[in-house]
mmCIF file of all heavy atoms in Angstrom:
data_model
loop_
_atom_site.group_PDB
_atom_site.id
_atom_site.type_symbol
_atom_site.label_atom_id
_atom_site.label_comp_id
_atom_site.label_asym_id
_atom_site.label_seq_id
_atom_site.Cartn_x
_atom_site.Cartn_y
_atom_site.Cartn_z
ATOM 1 N N ALA D 268 -44.776 17.848 212.373
ATOM 2 C CA ALA D 268 -45.217 16.442 212.536
ATOM 3 C C ALA D 268 -44.706 15.585 211.297
ATOM 4 O O ALA D 268 -44.220 14.438 211.463
ATOM 5 C CB ALA D 268 -46.747 16.345 212.676
ATOM 6 N N ASP D 269 -44.760 16.255 210.151
ATOM 7 C CA ASP D 269 -44.334 15.565 208.873
ATOM 8 C C ASP D 269 -42.814 15.311 208.960
ATOM 9 O O ASP D 269 -42.348 14.264 208.556
ATOM 10 C CB ASP D 269 -44.590 16.428 207.617
ATOM 11 C CG ASP D 269 -46.155 16.436 207.390
ATOM 12 O OD1 ASP D 269 -46.907 15.522 207.847
ATOM 13 O OD2 ASP D 269 -46.597 17.336 206.756
ATOM 14 N N ALA D 270 -42.040 16.267 209.461
ATOM 15 C CA ALA D 270 -40.540 16.164 209.535
ATOM 16 C C ALA D 270 -40.237 15.044 210.537
ATOM 17 O O ALA D 270 -39.393 14.271 210.312
ATOM 18 C CB ALA D 270 -40.110 17.481 210.001
ATOM 19 N N GLU D 271 -41.014 15.071 211.619
ATOM 20 C CA GLU D 271 -40.680 13.922 212.496
ATOM 21 C C GLU D 271 -41.048 12.538 211.949
ATOM 22 O O GLU D 271 -40.273 11.525 212.295
ATOM 23 C CB GLU D 271 -41.576 14.268 213.851
ATOM 24 C CG GLU D 271 -41.231 13.289 215.077
ATOM 25 C CD GLU D 271 -42.195 13.644 216.199
ATOM 26 O OE1 GLU D 271 -42.834 14.751 216.222
ATOM 27 O OE2 GLU D 271 -42.061 12.803 217.207
ATOM 28 N N GLY D 272 -42.136 12.438 211.217
ATOM 29 C CA GLY D 272 -42.507 11.194 210.676
ATOM 30 C C GLY D 272 -41.446 10.754 209.741
ATOM 31 O O GLY D 272 -41.090 9.591 209.573
ATOM 32 N N ASN D 273 -40.996 11.558 208.934
ATOM 33 C CA ASN D 273 -39.905 11.322 207.856
ATOM 34 C C ASN D 273 -38.682 10.811 208.601
ATOM 35 O O ASN D 273 -37.967 9.884 208.079
ATOM 36 C CB ASN D 273 -39.662 12.476 206.978
ATOM 37 C CG ASN D 273 -40.844 12.869 206.054
ATOM 38 O OD1 ASN D 273 -41.625 12.008 205.865
ATOM 39 N ND2 ASN D 273 -40.893 14.091 205.594
ATOM 40 N N ALA D 274 -38.293 11.469 209.693
ATOM 41 C CA ALA D 274 -37.118 11.119 210.411
ATOM 42 C C ALA D 274 -37.282 9.786 210.919
ATOM 43 O O ALA D 274 -36.309 8.948 210.914
ATOM 44 C CB ALA D 274 -36.722 12.111 211.492
ATOM 45 N N GLY D 275 -38.413 9.405 211.399
ATOM 46 C CA GLY D 275 -38.672 8.098 212.001
ATOM 47 C C GLY D 275 -38.546 7.001 210.908
ATOM 48 O O GLY D 275 -38.012 5.943 211.088
ATOM 49 N N GLY D 276 -39.021 7.318 209.653
ATOM 50 C CA GLY D 276 -38.923 6.300 208.601
ATOM 51 C C GLY D 276 -37.562 6.131 208.193
ATOM 52 O O GLY D 276 -37.166 5.000 207.929
ATOM 53 N N GLU D 277 -36.741 7.036 208.110
ATOM 54 C CA GLU D 277 -35.292 6.933 207.737
ATOM 55 C C GLU D 277 -34.579 6.051 208.827
ATOM 56 O O GLU D 277 -33.848 5.277 208.462
ATOM 57 C CB GLU D 277 -34.570 8.247 207.638
ATOM 58 C CG GLU D 277 -35.201 9.022 206.369
ATOM 59 C CD GLU D 277 -34.494 10.456 206.291
ATOM 60 O OE1 GLU D 277 -33.773 10.834 207.281
ATOM 61 O OE2 GLU D 277 -34.834 11.157 205.413
ATOM 62 N N ASP D 278 -34.812 6.289 210.120
ATOM 63 C CA ASP D 278 -34.294 5.560 211.187
ATOM 64 C C ASP D 278 -34.564 4.069 210.981
ATOM 65 O O ASP D 278 -33.638 3.119 211.281
ATOM 66 C CB ASP D 278 -34.602 6.033 212.483
ATOM 67 C CG ASP D 278 -34.086 7.432 212.727
ATOM 68 O OD1 ASP D 278 -33.053 7.753 212.088
ATOM 69 O OD2 ASP D 278 -34.642 8.099 213.690
ATOM 70 N N LYS D 279 -35.804 3.756 210.690
ATOM 71 C CA LYS D 279 -36.325 2.368 210.548
ATOM 72 C C LYS D 279 -35.609 1.775 209.410
ATOM 73 O O LYS D 279 -35.259 0.477 209.480
ATOM 74 C CB LYS D 279 -37.761 2.312 210.353
ATOM 75 C CG LYS D 279 -38.582 2.581 211.721
ATOM 76 C CD LYS D 279 -39.989 2.548 211.514
ATOM 77 C CE LYS D 279 -40.789 2.772 212.822
ATOM 78 N NZ LYS D 279 -42.150 2.687 212.656
ATOM 79 N N ALA D 280 -35.426 2.472 208.304
ATOM 80 C CA ALA D 280 -34.750 1.893 207.122
ATOM 81 C C ALA D 280 -33.277 1.559 207.387
ATOM 82 O O ALA D 280 -32.699 0.512 207.001
ATOM 83 C CB ALA D 280 -34.877 2.987 205.959
ATOM 84 N N LYS D 281 -32.637 2.519 208.213
ATOM 85 C CA LYS D 281 -31.239 2.351 208.614
ATOM 86 C C LYS D 281 -31.154 1.000 209.443
ATOM 87 O O LYS D 281 -30.180 0.190 209.220
ATOM 88 C CB LYS D 281 -30.740 3.530 209.215
ATOM 89 C CG LYS D 281 -30.440 4.642 208.383
ATOM 90 C CD LYS D 281 -30.011 5.873 209.190
ATOM 91 C CE LYS D 281 -29.608 7.016 208.252
ATOM 92 N NZ LYS D 281 -29.165 8.115 208.902
ATOM 93 N N GLU D 282 -32.144 0.812 210.351
ATOM 94 C CA GLU D 282 -32.058 -0.419 211.176
ATOM 95 C C GLU D 282 -32.283 -1.589 210.413
ATOM 96 O O GLU D 282 -31.646 -2.743 210.606
ATOM 97 C CB GLU D 282 -33.178 -0.217 212.250
ATOM 98 C CG GLU D 282 -32.990 0.920 213.277
ATOM 99 C CD GLU D 282 -34.083 0.888 214.192
ATOM 100 O OE1 GLU D 282 -35.082 0.162 214.126
ATOM 101 O OE2 GLU D 282 -34.036 1.741 215.202
ATOM 102 N N GLY D 283 -33.128 -1.544 209.272
ATOM 103 C CA GLY D 283 -33.367 -2.728 208.468
ATOM 104 C C GLY D 283 -32.110 -3.083 207.605
ATOM 105 O O GLY D 283 -31.685 -4.245 207.499
ATOM 106 N N ASP D 284 -31.361 -2.066 207.170
ATOM 107 C CA ASP D 284 -30.147 -2.323 206.456
ATOM 108 C C ASP D 284 -29.082 -2.833 207.273
ATOM 109 O O ASP D 284 -28.396 -3.794 206.838
ATOM 110 C CB ASP D 284 -29.702 -0.964 205.815
ATOM 111 C CG ASP D 284 -30.620 -0.430 204.707
ATOM 112 O OD1 ASP D 284 -31.390 -1.259 204.158
ATOM 113 O OD2 ASP D 284 -30.544 0.803 204.425
#
Side-chain angles (χ1 to χ4, degrees):
D269 292 341
E271 185 177 352
N273 292 334
E277 291 177 358
D278 291 340
K279 289 181 179 180
K281 289 179 179 180
E282 290 176 359
D284 292 343

